[in-house]
Amino acid sequence: MANLEESSPLLKHPDGREEAAPECAEKVSAPPPEPAPEPHEKVLLEAGPKLQEKPPLTAATVPTGWTADGLPVGCGSVVGEPVGRAQWNSSLFACLGRNDEFCSSDLEVCLLGSFAPCVLYGSNAERLGAVPGSFADNCLPYIGLYVLGNALFGWNCLAPWFSHPSRTAIRRKFNLEGSFEAFSRSCGCCHGVVEDELRREQLEQVCDFATHYMCHTCSLCQEGRELRRRLPHPGLNVRPVLLMMPPMEQTMGRGA
């Protein structure tokens, strides 16, 4: 009986042949091997932890400065670097500006700022906004504040409250160096405040107001000289003219 139990069962066919019965145990098929990752997938898998370590940009990490186009400093250039500060074309107390092709224009600006500041302010605002016909919208309120200030207090102390935002707009539009930044650069102090874009811009706005309030005529003249050198008057409506020259007559000679 032991020999029969150890031997495998046999199947008998009708013709008398005997053969071993098939095993009933099910064989578990092995899973197919995983394909090897491509070279570019290996690079991504290896660089994955490094990419996750980089912290996301938040409102605290994104700079809040302005460029020449009014964009944040992070978008100032193609490579993502901030645009350098530009200098004013003339100083605050340069009555006639520089001795260049704008010399006659600087003389006009100086006379307007001394005797008709309302006209100079209206012209500056119209040129800055690039909107033809906006001269009266800025000149008339200035005249009202100018007359009211001289009538009540004896000097033009109300119009600077209305006109000082134009200096901030010019400084932001052309990315000009502000008064506080120039003071910090010349004295070598307050570097921590200068590096903080938000605090520096707040102080620059205070300096813009103080410049208009304390040196109103000089600030209007400086802004007028800057705008006339950088922007054309919107009323000129200058358009490029394309000149087409006919081809010159060509002669072909035979060699001797």
Side-chain angles (χ1 to χ4, degrees), residues 17-111:
R17 292 184 297 105
E18 295 181 357
E19 64 179 68
E23 297 180 358
C24 298
E26 296 182 356
K27 296 182 179 180
V28 180
S29 58
E34 297 181 357
E38 298 294 334
H40 66 277
E41 295 180 354
K42 292 182 178 180
V43 175
L44 293 177
L45 291 175
E46 294 176 358
K50 297 181 180 179
L51 295 176
Q52 295 177 358
E53 294 176 0
K54 186 177 180 181
L57 293 177
T58 60
T61 58
V62 176
T64 58
W66 288 270
T67 63
D69 299 327
L71 299 176
V73 173
C75 307
S77 62
V78 178
V79 296
E81 297 179 356
V83 179
R85 299 288 181 188
Q87 300 293 329
W88 292 78
N89 280 295
S90 58
S91 63
L92 182 64
F93 301 105
C95 297
L96 298 179
R98 297 181 300 178
N99 188 16
D100 53 8
E101 64 273 12
F102 290 91
C103 183
S104 61
S105 177
D106 294 343
L107 179 60
E108 177 188 358
V109 168
C110 182
L111 294 176

Side-chain angles (χ1 to χ4, degrees), residues 12 29 64 67-68 85 97-98 104 109 121 124 150 162 180 192 199-200 216 219 247-248 253 256:
K12 293 184 178 182
S29 58
T64 58
T67 63
R85 299 288 181 188
R98 297 181 300 178
S104 61
V109 168
Y121 173 74
N124 292 347
N150 282 275
F162 173 72
F180 178 78
R199 292 181 60 190
R200 185 189 67 185
H216 184 61
S219 61
M248 298 179 62

Side-chain angles (χ1 to χ4, degrees), residues 169-228:
I170 294 172
R171 181 174 50 80
R172 288 184 179 180
K173 183 177 182 63
F174 304 114
N175 197 32
L176 300 176
E177 185 181 45
S179 301
F180 178 78
E181 189 175 0
F183 172 79
S184 176
R185 178 175 52 82
S186 59
C187 297
C189 61
C190 304
H191 294 291
V193 180
V194 173
E195 293 177 357
D196 189 347
E197 296 287 342
L198 185 58
R199 292 181 60 190
R200 185 189 67 185
E201 181 60 27
Q202 294 174 350
L203 291 174
E204 293 292 1
Q205 294 181 12
V206 175
C207 291
D208 292 340
F209 170 75
T211 304
H212 261 256
Y213 197 80
M214 304 300 296
C215 306
H216 184 61
T217 302
C218 295
S219 61
L220 285 179
C221 292
Q222 185 187 26
E223 295 162 13
R225 292 190 298 267
E226 192 74 24
L227 289 173
R228 295 190 181 205

